[in-house]
Amino acid sequence: MHGTPARRTWRHRARTSSAVLAAIAMGLAIVPTLSTTARAETSPTAVSVPGTFNSEIGCAGDWVPSCTQAQLTARTDGSGAWSKTLSLPAGSHAYKAALNNNWADNYGANAQYYGSDISLQVPVGGKNVTFVYDPVTHWVTDDINHKIVTAGGSFQSELGCAADWAPDCLTSWLKDTNGDGTYTWSTTAIPAGIWTVKAAIGQSWNESYGQGGSPTGADISFTVPRSGSTVDFRYDSTTHVLTVQTEQPPDPGVAATLGALYTPTGTTFRIWSPDNSQVSVTVGGTTHALQRADINGYTDVYQAVVPGNWKNQPYQFRVGNNTVRDPYARMVKPGSTEGIVMDVAAIQPNGGWAPRPSITKREDAVIYEMSVRNFTIDASSGVDGAKRGKFAGLTQTGTTHNGAKTGIDHLKELGVTHVQLLPSFDFNSTVPNWGYDPLNYNVPEEQFSRFNAPEDRVREFQDMVNEFHKNGIRVIMDVVYNHTASKDVFQNITGKYYHQTELSGTGNSIDDGNPMVSRMIRDSLEYWVDTYNIDGFRFDLLGVHQYGNVDQWAKHLNAVFPDRTLQIHGEPWSGGVDDPQQAQKVRYGTTPVLAGGHVGVFNGAYRDAVKGGTRDRFLGYMGGSSSNTSAIALGMRGSPLATKNTSPLSNPWDPAFAYDPEQTINYVSAHDDLNIWDKITYSGVTGGPTGRAGQMNRFAAGMVLTSQGIPFFHEGDEFLHSKVVGGDYEAAKNSYESGDAVNAVQWGEKTANNATFRYYKDVIALRKNTPALRLGTWDAVKAQMATIVNGSVVTSAISSRADAPTSHDTVVVYNPTNSSVNVALPAGTWKKVLDTNGTTDSTGNTADGLAVTVFKKS
């Protein structure tokens, strides 16, 4: 809710011309990013290792993915792996893994999709080198760079190996995908029992290690307590020690978490109470005392198991003399602190879950922020009366106004990939209100529901997410874990939920520095992804939270849901107050640490450079300012780190913060402050929608949608929605509790300003069809993008090909002046594909004033 504080289709083989090097030197020496997200390619028909040694093994040339001699063989040991041993000459070589005899899908170092070449140093005299590829993790390696480590033991036949103690069965293959020298493998397939194991090297027993890392060490014994237990194997290549750890799963029917955990024969009630041992729960008119329980991963938990079938029945916790809410409640009785016992595992959306829309990498996202109520509450939405302002209204298809599509059909026409819903969990205020005052983090807001029955309310939210997915759109939730509606929400359980220092500006900021509070947030996030199929989260005031916790939450979610490509981002600031622990909190400067969890932040620095102030009349670059061109050039490139590193930066507000383009959320308009159209008109820009004011809106939006990173905009921006009623700009500056007259989307604005809508639609389509606008790594931006500032005009020449990084095929020009400029395009035949009005198909090299112009090589 809060604003910022005031102030490849081929392989990688670089050939850089001197002219391009000069152009890069004139640009910005910034730019890194890590890896693109790997495709879910688990069943290739062929795998090869094209590289510099191909001609020496009989191929027609080097780097030929279809060469017969470079093909790996699918193993028959049940592992799914591919391997082959090749006799290679001495020398320095390089290679990658290519799938299906072409470069469309390839993997390089550290299992990265379109990753860098893997260096291979073959010793004097040559050597037989074994190559291995895993189609699940996409790790490709060789036995010179990495050991081939297997867990050979008495359990291997249980996993599908031909026999036990089989060092050459890669079903139990340990991998060092990050290159830190520690090889790991995790499985839940080993049955209950006592087993023994050793570490085998090179697919034989010629080199092996037992207890203590000794070549002559005894077998290592371990116990699997129950079938389904997670067993983790770790081999340290320095000490040669193999360790085995097992994690016992929870008893069937009772999850290892808190709240009301239902089974048909009894419900387990659990709550954290670090200060008071007098804890009880009342259900069915009977009060039951809770006893301290040892729950793995939690401390100071009290528990009672109440026999009987309590499905959909209310329950009330008490701590000491106070009735308290259940922080883990899956459903609540509205207006009370009573929870409802839920069997959420048995609830599915109508018709079952549909596949979620695929996304290759996070930079492919285009995010549309919206309010459940605002988007459909006005009659002009065309949504059925009973569904307006409700979850169901968001996904009603076939709606129009004056012949123009509205609602979800409008979103599909526009081309967005994600919707970001303003708070949709249970909040305290009555609508119309944005809902940034949480009561129950795991409960859908009842004011957005058409139903009273608990299961119907769960299913309704599931149906909404499911229908978005069916229509090709992913769903992000705006979550507010930094504060509650008041301290009364959790205070009577324990004051340890809250910071001693107020950080959110609301008087009740949550302290995730307490491990149990941090775990509550993590559990809540996991619950929404698991139960409701949510695709990601936007964190309100992410800067209140410790970056170490945020990193842990994100990595946990990505590990539990590895196929989801979850989108996680938030505001890297607190509530405009001094934080004595700022160095430990999420800021631009700590964002690089979050790269491994794929966490991004809103780029307020780029926003302000483009837009100017959020509530004042000062116009930035979009108003013609030439004083901040370096900030524009930096944001255009995805605000990359000056030096690629995952350590915190010395300046917490360093605008060059992104380790990966996915870490910058680029925007000029959101629910907070003046939206982009009201900012323009408030600043006195004249000409209306068809004149300079409308052109300025398109210019700002064009910059957001053509910059590296992830673009984001607010509902109605695409057709100049205004929150100004009767000339009242003060209400429009922060409309969180204003009525529908201010906040509701008026769909007549779409037909009135259809030219603006067409422009947004055109630029989104161009972004989707132009890989150069969606580079996936710091390295790609650095190598494939040359940016030049000429006066106030900023120009970037970009290559979409990692294998030809300086063969630029896309040129983007930002021109804030009132006059057109001539652009010096690289050699070749070029077409202008975007101008101030949207899609075009013309020749020439002029870039209009107050416009984004894009040229593509024919």
Side-chain angles (χ1 to χ4, degrees):
M1 172 179 175
H2 307 267
T4 45
R7 316 239 144 53
R8 283 167 10 157
T9 56
W10 224 63
R11 71 156 236 96
H12 176 83
R13 227 174 166 182
R15 295 184 177 88
T16 307
S17 69
S18 57
V20 173
L21 285 172
I24 293 174
M26 294 172 64
L28 300 174
I30 22 186
V31 230
T33 54
L34 189 77
S35 61
T36 51
T37 301
R39 286 182 47 182
E41 177 70 61
T42 57
S43 300
T45 58
V47 179
S48 60
V49 283
T52 58
F53 52 77
N54 287 168
S55 57
E56 283 88 343
I57 63 172
C59 298
D62 290 338
W63 299 105
V64 181
S66 60
C67 172
T68 301
Q69 291 86 339
Q71 300 297 317
L72 306 187
T73 302
R75 297 179 66 94
T76 59
D77 56 9
S79 65
W82 297 66
S83 67
K84 189 173 187 177
T85 300
L86 299 173
S87 179
L88 299 186
S92 298
H93 300 287
Y95 70 95
K96 297 177 79 172
L99 308 189
N100 306 322
N101 293 314
N102 59 62
W103 286 111
D105 289 302
N106 67 83
Y107 297 89
N110 299 323
Q112 297 305 309
Y113 190 52
Y114 280 79
S116 58
D117 299 343
I118 302 169
S119 298
L120 176 64
Q121 187 69 39
V122 180
V124 174
K127 190 178 187 298
N128 288 333
V129 180
T130 299
F131 296 85
V132 191
Y133 170 76
D134 178 4
V136 176
T137 64
H138 303 293
W139 194 45
V140 58
T141 190
D142 58 82
D143 61 359
I144 290 180
N145 282 311
H146 292 91
K147 300 175 184 293
I148 308 298
V149 182
T150 50
S154 59
F155 54 85
Q156 284 184 283
S157 60
E158 305 286 344
L159 305 181
C161 295
D164 291 333
W165 299 101
D168 58 345
C169 180
L170 294 190
T171 302
S172 53
W173 178 22
L174 283 69
K175 307 174 184 70
D176 177 20
T177 54
N178 63 3
D180 66 357
T182 301
Y183 294 70
T184 62
W185 171 58
S186 182
T187 181
T188 59
I190 301 176
I194 300 174
W195 309 93
T196 50
V197 67
K198 280 188 172 184
I201 312 300
Q203 303 185 72
S204 80
W205 291 115
N206 292 336
E207 182 183 358
S208 64
Y209 301 96
Q211 289 185 14
S214 171
T216 59
D219 298 343
I220 300 165
S221 179
F222 65 95
T223 300
V224 178
R226 184 181 300 135
S227 294
S229 296
T230 299
V231 186
D232 295 311
F233 296 81
R234 295 174 63 85
Y235 170 76
D236 186 319
S237 60
T238 301
T239 64
H240 304 299
V241 172
L242 175 68
T243 57
V244 187
Q245 291 184 327
T246 59
E247 180 179 324
Q248 181 171 328
D251 292 334
V254 180
T257 187
L258 307 189
L261 310 173
Y262 169 84
T263 71
T265 57
T267 296
T268 301
F269 295 92
R270 293 175 181 157
I271 190 170
W272 177 49
S273 180
D275 305 327
N276 198 321
S277 61
Q278 297 180 14
V279 186
S280 66
V281 66
T282 301
V283 59
T286 301
T287 299
H288 306 266
L290 275 63
Q291 304 298 322
R292 185 180 290 271
D294 184 13
I295 310 299
N296 187 34
Y298 302 85
T299 59
D300 297 316
V301 171
Y302 287 78
Q303 168 183 295
V305 180
V306 180
N309 190 335
W310 299 106
K311 186 176 181 178
N312 297 330
Q313 296 302 304
Y315 64 95
Q316 178 69 69
F317 279 123
R318 291 182 68 88
V319 174
N321 296 320
N322 299 307
T323 57
V324 299
R325 69 182 68 249
D326 176 7
Y328 280 73
R330 280 76 170 168
M331 188 58 63
V332 295
K333 183 178 178 181
S336 78
T337 55
E338 291 183 78
I340 304 292
V341 177
M342 298 295 295
D343 182 14
V344 292
I347 305 173
Q348 293 281 311
N350 288 296
W353 286 112
R356 73 185 52 79
S358 62
I359 187 168
T360 300
K361 62 183 188 297
R362 290 170 179 83
E363 290 86 353
D364 296 341
V366 178
I367 300 174
Y368 186 96
E369 182 189 44
M370 63 195 301
S371 158
V372 173
R373 182 178 178 89
N374 297 349
F375 197 64
T376 66
I377 193 63
D378 192 79
S380 63
S381 69
V383 170
D384 295 343
K387 296 180 180 179
R388 291 177 197 157
K390 307 294 185 182
F391 293 126
L394 295 183
T395 55
Q396 180 179 336
T397 58
T399 59
T400 61
H401 179 71
N402 291 337
K405 294 178 180 179
T406 63
I408 192 172
D409 289 344
H410 164 79
L411 297 175
K412 291 168 63 179
E413 182 183 16
L414 186 58
V416 299
T417 64
H418 294 67
V419 291
Q420 178 177 298
L421 305 182
L422 266 64
S424 302
F425 48 70
D426 188 38
F427 51 79
N428 187 52
S429 52
T430 56
V431 295
N433 190 293
W434 289 345
Y436 287 90
D437 50 351
L439 289 176
N440 296 284
Y441 285 123
N442 299 325
V443 178
E445 170 55 45
E446 76 269 8
Q447 294 176 93
F448 295 153
S449 176
R450 296 175 296 155
F451 302 106
N452 294 320
E455 291 189 7
D456 289 341
R457 286 176 57 194
V458 171
R459 186 174 293 106
E460 179 184 34
F461 197 102
Q462 291 178 334
D463 283 342
M464 175 195 66
V465 175
N466 211 35
E467 291 304 311
F468 269 122
H469 285 175
K470 289 178 183 177
N471 284 276
I473 298 172
R474 289 179 164 227
V475 181
I476 299 169
M477 283 185 65
D478 192 335
V479 288
V480 188
Y481 296 113
N482 69 84
H483 71 274
T484 54
S486 69
K487 282 192 175 180
D488 290 342
V489 174
F490 296 140
Q491 182 75 46
N492 287 335
I493 303 173
T494 174
K496 291 183 172 64
Y497 276 103
Y498 295 99
H499 273 291
Q500 297 302 306
T501 303
E502 172 50 36
L503 300 176
S504 63
T506 61
N508 42 67
S509 53
I510 290 288
D511 183 11
D512 63 282
N514 188 301
M516 282 293 287
V517 178
S518 178
R519 182 60 185 263
M520 178 195 71
I521 295 172
R522 193 191 88 173
D523 289 346
S524 178
L525 295 166
E526 184 174 350
Y527 174 74
W528 281 105
V529 179
D530 188 44
T531 301
Y532 292 101
N533 222 6
I534 287 295
D535 301 294
F537 301 96
R538 176 267 187 189
F539 283 78
D540 181 66
L541 293 188
L542 187 60
V544 169
H545 300 304
Q546 295 186 13
Y547 71 79
N549 288 334
V550 174
D551 185 54
Q552 192 272 333
W553 303 336
K555 286 178 176 175
H556 175 79
L557 291 175
N558 289 320
V560 175
F561 306 101
D563 61 331
R564 303 293 184 93
T565 316
L566 295 171
Q567 176 61 40
I568 302 172
H569 57 258
E571 297 173 302
W573 42 78
S574 61
V577 297
D578 291 331
D579 187 343
Q581 294 183 317
Q582 173 163 274
Q584 307 305 316
K585 302 301 179 68
V586 176
R587 298 290 186 267
Y588 296 147
T590 55
T591 300
V593 184
L594 304 177
H598 302 285
V599 178
V601 297
F602 283 94
N603 196 334
Y606 191 33
R607 174 202 64 190
D608 293 346
V610 174
K611 179 180 180 179
T614 57
R615 299 188 188 184
D616 57 27
R617 290 186 168 89
F618 172 73
L619 291 171
Y621 187 76
M622 70 179 189
S625 172
S626 60
S627 63
N628 58 357
T629 52
S630 61
I632 296 299
L634 179 66
M636 185 187 202
R637 296 167 68 85
S639 301
L641 288 161
T643 303
K644 185 179 178 182
N645 196 290
T646 56
S647 299
L649 302 173
S650 58
N651 175 9
W653 299 110
D654 192 328
F657 60 82
Y659 182 85
D660 188 292
E662 70 181 22
Q663 289 195 286
T664 174
I665 308 300
N666 301 322
Y667 73 119
V668 290
S669 186
H671 62 272
D672 279 317
D673 308 312
L674 291 170
N675 68 14
I676 185 62
W677 181 239
D678 290 342
K679 163 69 179 182
I680 291 170
T681 59
Y682 183 62
S683 301
V685 183
T686 60
T690 60
R692 181 174 178 81
Q695 189 174 5
M696 189 176 294
N697 175 286
R698 298 193 299 274
F699 182 39
M703 283 190 278
V704 168
L705 286 162
T706 58
S707 294
Q708 303 299 328
I710 297 175
F712 168 105
F713 57 102
H714 185 55
E715 61 185 359
D717 286 346
E718 71 276 23
F719 45 70
L720 307 181
H721 175 58
S722 174
K723 297 181 182 181
V724 178
V725 177
D728 186 0
Y729 279 94
E730 292 307 309
K733 289 178 181 178
N734 193 16
S735 61
Y736 74 97
E737 59 182 358
S738 297
D740 294 332
V742 171
N743 283 318
V745 173
Q746 306 293 329
W747 288 93
E749 292 171 325
K750 179 177 179 180
T751 49
N753 302 310
N754 189 250
T756 302
F757 167 74
R758 289 199 314 271
Y759 179 86
Y760 276 70
K761 176 183 175 182
D762 287 351
V763 188
I764 291 171
L766 175 66
R767 181 179 182 87
K768 288 183 175 181
N769 294 324
T770 308
L773 300 179
R774 298 175 284 108
L775 298 180
T777 68
W778 186 99
D779 299 288
V781 174
K782 182 176 179 62
Q784 296 166 225
M785 192 171 184
T787 303
I788 298 174
V789 175
N790 185 2
S792 56
V793 177
V794 182
T795 302
S796 282
I798 317 167
S799 170
S800 61
R801 294 174 52 182
D803 65 304
T806 59
S807 295
H808 300 133
D809 49 51
T810 304
V811 171
V812 181
V813 182
Y814 297 168
N815 179 9
T817 71
N818 295 322
S819 304
S820 61
V821 296
N822 291 324
V823 181
L825 297 170
T829 303
W830 291 80
K831 282 286 187 74
K832 185 189 299 185
V833 295
L834 182 78
D835 63 15
T836 187
N837 296 310
T839 299
T840 185
D841 183 10
S842 59
T843 57
N845 65 336
T846 59
D848 295 336
L850 198 64
V852 173
T853 305
V854 178
F855 302 89
K856 293 181 75 172
K857 198 169 187 178
S858 301

